[in-house]
Amino acid sequence: MLERTRTAERYARGFTAALVAVATLLLAANAGPARAEAPQHGPRTVADSR
C-alpha cells in the first residue's frame, strides 16, 4: 500500500521542480547559437532575373 505524503513535502517537491525548470529555461535562453569553426565558402550561384 502507498504511504501518504505530507502536504509540506509535496509543496517542497513542487517548489524544487519549479526552481529547476526556471534555472533550465534561464540557461537555455542565455546559451547562444554555436559558432562555426571556419567559414564555409560554397559555390555561389547567380539568380536568373528573366
Side-chain angles (χ1 to χ4, degrees):
M1 183 177 229
L2 296 174
E3 294 180 26
R4 290 191 56 107
T5 307
R6 292 188 340 197
T7 304
E9 195 173 332
R10 281 191 316 206
Y11 282 126
R13 286 182 185 174
F15 181 74
T16 303
L19 193 62
V20 168
V22 169
T24 303
L25 287 173
L26 285 174
L27 288 174
N30 288 327
R35 293 196 175 147
E37 292 179 7
Q40 288 148 2
H41 300 287
R44 298 192 178 191
T45 59
V46 178
D48 190 12
S49 58
R50 289 186 212 183

